[in-house]
Amino acid sequence: MASTRALGAKKGILERLDSGEVVIGDGSFLITLEKRGYVKAGLWTPEAVVEHPSAVRQLHMEFLRAGANVMQTFTFSASEDNMESKWEDVNTAACDLAKEVAGKGDALVAGGICQTSMYKYHKDEARIKKLFRQQLEVFTRKNVDFLIAEYFEYVEEAVWAVEVLKESGKPVAATMCIGPAGDMHGVTPGECAVRLAKAGASIVGVNCRFGPGTSLKTVELMKEGLGAAGLKAHLMVQSLGLHTPDCGKGGFVDLPEYPFGLEPRVATRWDIHKYARDAYNLGVRYIGGCCGFEPYHIRAIAEELAPERGFLPLASEKHGSWGSSLNMHTKPWIRARARREYWENLLPASGRPFCPSLSKPDV
């Protein structure tokens, strides 16, 4: 199978999804760049696009090489309420970096906004929409390909975001950071999807807060809600690259290990093969990741769905399918691991004999 698809005129996001094409999103920026020393935990704001552009560019490149064909602007929490006077420079620089890297492959640029810090305390629709509109003005000036409203705990605020983004005339995706229990006001996933679609989102789904299995369960409920309402929208999932079956309604942020002790929960590449296949079988065609989702996880999505896509990512040149490169190892017991059955059935140990397998959320 060929590595990478031959480049031609780039198709838009809806043209790709309408034709049944698999779109692979990118993965973790905040958590990954915090580990690399370029983001400060707490506010989780993306000054790195200005202060350390080479670090952000490198991570974009790693995701592109792994198979992502969407470069999302690193503009999480980059609204004026979080960044004050720095917001415009940050949004501008983030667009430039994403466009630069997207131009090196068959990738689209998505301008991203997220929930505001204001909504929980001041549900002022006009003020919140003004914040969204400021970022949108930068995305419009930079002519991104489409827009994503992501990481919303409350569907009301997500709908406001979609309504603003629709003013651009560009396609809009909207994802909630919720689990099967619904948003923080108790609105079910199905009803959230219906409201987002009615607001004008062409793509709906979930991102962050929950692991692969829980995220897909939530998307399934969204799909059911859309079907019951007679509405159509493309489905999208960008889960954590972590296992979090023990978290509550608020997701992984309520676990005692968040954010500095999550490493034992990291999904293997083989876990992500299953996530990609399960998502595809559910009818999801926009599949990516969020916090904890490293480039090798994105490569796992691209490799699992290579038969449907017709090509492998560049990063697969250094990765044998299902461990096949281990056939070259000098030790016979390691050569015996060069098969799919071995990795699919492995129950990996944590190496921590006095640690529990599950935690109790603080909330």
Side-chain angles (χ1 to χ4, degrees):
M1 186 177 292
S3 288
T4 74
R5 176 168 55 188
L7 297 181
K10 289 185 181 179
K11 297 187 294 183
I13 186 66
L14 295 183
E15 187 180 0
R16 297 179 190 217
L17 293 171
D18 287 344
S19 69
E21 182 176 329
V22 175
V23 171
I24 298 180
D26 57 14
S28 171
F29 272 78
L30 286 170
I31 292 285
T32 296
L33 289 173
E34 190 280 329
K35 289 179 178 179
R36 296 182 183 186
Y38 300 107
V39 164
K40 190 172 184 178
L43 280 178
W44 298 107
T45 46
E47 294 93 341
V49 296
V50 173
E51 297 172 351
H52 303 285
S54 60
V56 178
R57 182 185 295 110
Q58 174 65 26
L59 188 52
H60 276 307
M61 283 297 303
E62 290 176 31
F63 284 124
L64 181 73
R65 192 167 183 272
N69 48 7
V70 173
M71 296 292 108
Q72 189 169 335
T73 59
F74 184 31
T75 48
F76 183 89
S77 289
S79 55
E80 187 181 30
D81 63 326
N82 291 319
M83 305 204 71
E84 299 179 338
S85 62
K86 295 184 288 186
W87 75 268
E88 187 169 8
D89 288 343
V90 165
N91 280 270
T92 300
C95 288
D96 290 340
L97 287 168
K99 290 190 76 171
E100 175 190 339
V101 175
K104 300 178 185 295
D106 183 36
L108 301 173
V109 177
I113 65 173
C114 70
Q115 66 182 11
T116 65
S117 57
M118 184 186 300
Y119 178 84
K120 289 182 182 179
Y121 310 103
H122 307 287
K123 295 180 177 60
D124 187 326
E125 181 178 354
R127 289 176 64 190
I128 290 170
K129 283 188 169 181
K130 179 184 176 182
L131 293 172
F132 294 149
R133 201 167 279 118
Q134 287 175 326
Q135 287 185 271
L136 176 61
E137 288 171 359
V138 177
F139 299 149
T140 301
R141 185 169 71 246
K142 290 297 182 178
N143 195 29
V144 301
D145 296 300
F146 70 104
L147 301 155
I148 300 177
E150 68 167 6
Y151 198 83
F152 284 86
E153 295 175 290
Y154 302 91
V155 71
E156 180 179 51
E157 189 183 19
V159 165
W160 294 349
V162 171
E163 289 172 347
V164 169
L165 296 183
K166 286 294 291 181
E167 295 171 5
S168 69
K170 295 179 182 291
V172 175
T175 55
M176 306 283 295
C177 56
I178 62 173
D183 86 345
M184 300 306 284
H185 282 156
V187 181
T188 66
E191 179 61 21
C192 287
V194 167
R195 294 187 191 182
L196 294 172
K198 286 183 175 179
S202 301
I203 307 161
V204 301
V206 298
N207 81 294
C208 206
R209 288 290 181 97
F210 297 88
T214 303
S215 295
L216 289 177
K217 177 59 180 175
T218 308
V219 172
E220 184 178 13
L221 294 171
M222 287 183 156
K223 181 179 180 180
E224 291 172 359
L226 290 168
L231 296 172
K232 290 185 178 181
H234 294 292
L235 300 174
M236 174 178 178
V237 63
Q238 300 209 112
S239 84
L240 298 174
L242 309 165
H243 293 293
T244 62
D246 44 347
C247 63
K249 188 172 183 177
F252 82 133
V253 297
D254 295 336
L255 293 173
E257 299 95 334
Y258 173 85
F260 303 128
L262 293 165
E263 285 81 0
R265 294 175 175 270
V266 173
T268 70
R269 65 195 70 191
W270 317 117
D271 294 328
I272 301 305
H273 271 265
K274 183 179 187 305
Y275 161 71
R277 181 54 57 190
D278 289 346
Y280 186 87
N281 290 342
L282 182 59
V284 183
R285 293 295 178 269
Y286 190 139
I287 308 170
C290 202
C291 295
F293 223 97
E294 298 293 330
Y296 72 93
H297 290 128
I298 295 297
R299 181 181 62 189
I301 297 174
E303 290 183 345
E304 176 62 30
L305 298 177
E308 287 77 14
R309 302 177 84 210
F311 60 96
L312 287 164
L314 281 172
S316 293
E317 293 175 356
K318 298 294 185 179
H319 187 242
S321 177
W322 289 101
S324 61
S325 59
L326 296 179
N327 276 321
M328 298 182 291
H329 206 281
T330 58
K331 295 179 171 59
W333 57 91
I334 296 179
R335 290 199 300 271
R337 300 171 190 165
R339 53 194 177 90
R340 177 171 184 159
E341 294 76 15
Y342 177 85
W343 296 109
E344 278 190 321
N345 294 302
L346 180 69
L347 298 176
S350 70
R352 298 173 181 269
F354 302 109
C355 291
S357 59
L358 301 175
S359 296
K360 183 179 179 180
D362 291 334
V363 179

